[in-house]
């Protein structure tokens, strides 16, 4: 994909990774992009670099606009591997460039490279860099999502380079939100934002709200948000700000996600009448089978709904491994403002459901009374018990959701 002008004299020079399906364990069925940007001003400035596999591609994109030797400044907003592992190759062609990075970013960069011969300027919130027509203002965003993270604002173009924030793991031919919506839908774009937030930013909701407040207090006018992954928000940057504000405050649908795994279909057969009971109480319900669904999608579905039910067979007296994996992910992601319950089946003795409730407690999640547990196959009576449990859980979700009504 060629360099693309996103604002006058500002170009996307990144790479599209159509093929990646495993992004450090996050399953990315739609691929991703590594976005970086070249500001062709009096002093040429590169904002961010890309993953090492795509070094040649971004260099080619830069060369289509300028000789890389003319790059005077390189802003490094974030030092995770997907953003800095081409930096050495770019600096080899731009030896006079100065790097702008936070103090924590520099500490991280020193673990990737011997930076002793590089020109590095440490920056903090409010520091500026004048490149000619453009003034870049740096805004530290620690824990959004790493300690080193920052964003860079170009006042003259009302443009925010937001690094991982407001991104999506989405490979697409169009670089902008409106182009993606024209070929897919705004619902598909919202879904990609939600999945990315759920899997990466869920633990940092309080920080997200605080940073959005701070950005608001700085009075920055923003008419474009350019993240390091996915599409650039040109048509509707307010949309992603609103989605983030909502998710950071715990916004969810008044619905239920049933996430389960099964050995011989008994737990699965329990999920069906439970889903019927939820539906008959008038709530939406999504049923997700682990091992048939990428973990990142299961996490998204958990995050979408106000209530979730976890179904697990007991294997060797404990949780089924795929369910344990889900709960481990969730414990790290620290979900808030959600209500849960668990159900399951066993052969000789139970154990899985008790473990699931233990995990809810460790996460500090609201939980309903222990759900149905049954031996071997569900009888007709068991199915009725499951159905009634579904109805009761739906009522509890509706009641719990009232406190979040907007
Ligand atoms: Fe896109 Fe935190 O790396």
């Amino acid at each position: 994909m060629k360099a693309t002008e996103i604002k006058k004299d500002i170009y996307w020079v990144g790479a599209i990774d159509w093929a990646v399906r495993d992004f450090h364990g996050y399953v990315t069925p739609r691929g991703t992009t590594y976005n970086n940007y070249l500001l062709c001003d009096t002093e040429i400035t590169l904002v961010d670099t890309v993953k090492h596999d795509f070094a040649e591609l971004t260099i080619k994109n830069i060369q289509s606009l300028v000789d890389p030797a003319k790059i005077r400044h390189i802003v490094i907003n974030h030092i995770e591997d997907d953003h800095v592992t081409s930096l050495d190759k770019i600096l080899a062609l731009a030896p006079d460039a100065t790097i702008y990075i936070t103090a924590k970013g520099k500490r991280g960069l020193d673990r990737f490279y011997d930076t002793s011969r590089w020109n590095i300027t440490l920056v903090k919130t409010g520091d500026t860099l004048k490149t000619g027509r453009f003034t870049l203002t740096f805004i530290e965003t620690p824990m959004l999502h790493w300690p080193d993270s920052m964003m860079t604002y170009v006042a003259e173009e009302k443009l925010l380079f937001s690094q991982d924030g407001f991104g999506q793991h989405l490979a697409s031919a169009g670089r902008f939100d409106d182009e993606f919506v024209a070929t897919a839908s705004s619902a598909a774009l919202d879904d990609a934002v939600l999945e990315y937030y759920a899997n990466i930013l869920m633990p940092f909701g309080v920080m997200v709200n605080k940073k959005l407040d701070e950005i608001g207090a700085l009075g920055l006018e923003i008419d474009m948000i350019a993240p390091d992954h996915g599409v650039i928000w040109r048509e509707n940057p307010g949309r992603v700000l609103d989605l983030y504000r909502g998710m950071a405050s715990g916004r969810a649908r008044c619905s239920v996600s049933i996430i389960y795994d099964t050995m011989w279909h008994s737990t699965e057969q329990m999920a069906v009448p439970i889903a019927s009971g939820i539906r008959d109480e008038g709530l939406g319900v999504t049923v997700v089978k682990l091992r048939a669904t990428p973990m990142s999608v299961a996490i998204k579905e958990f995050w979408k709904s106000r209530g979730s039910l976890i179904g697990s067979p007991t294997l060797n007296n404990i949780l089924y491994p795929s369910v344990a994996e889900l709960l481990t992910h969730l414990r790290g992601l620290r979900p808030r403002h959600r209500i849960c319950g668990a159900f399951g089946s066993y052969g000789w003795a139970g154990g899985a459901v008790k473990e699931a409730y233990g995990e809810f407690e460790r996460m500090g999640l609201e939980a309903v009374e222990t759900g149905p547990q049954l031996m071997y196959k569900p009888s007709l009576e068991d199915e009725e018990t499951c159905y009634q449990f579904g109805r009761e859980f739906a009522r509890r979700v509706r009641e719990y959701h009232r406190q979040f009504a907007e």
Side-chain angles (χ1 to χ4, degrees), residues 23 78 80 82-83 145-146 163-164 169 196 228-229:
F23 191 98
H78 177 34
E80 199 165 357
D82 51 321
H83 302 294
H145 68 122
W146 274 26
Q163 47 99 12
D164 281 338
H169 282 315
Y196 185 95
D228 279 0
H229 298 291

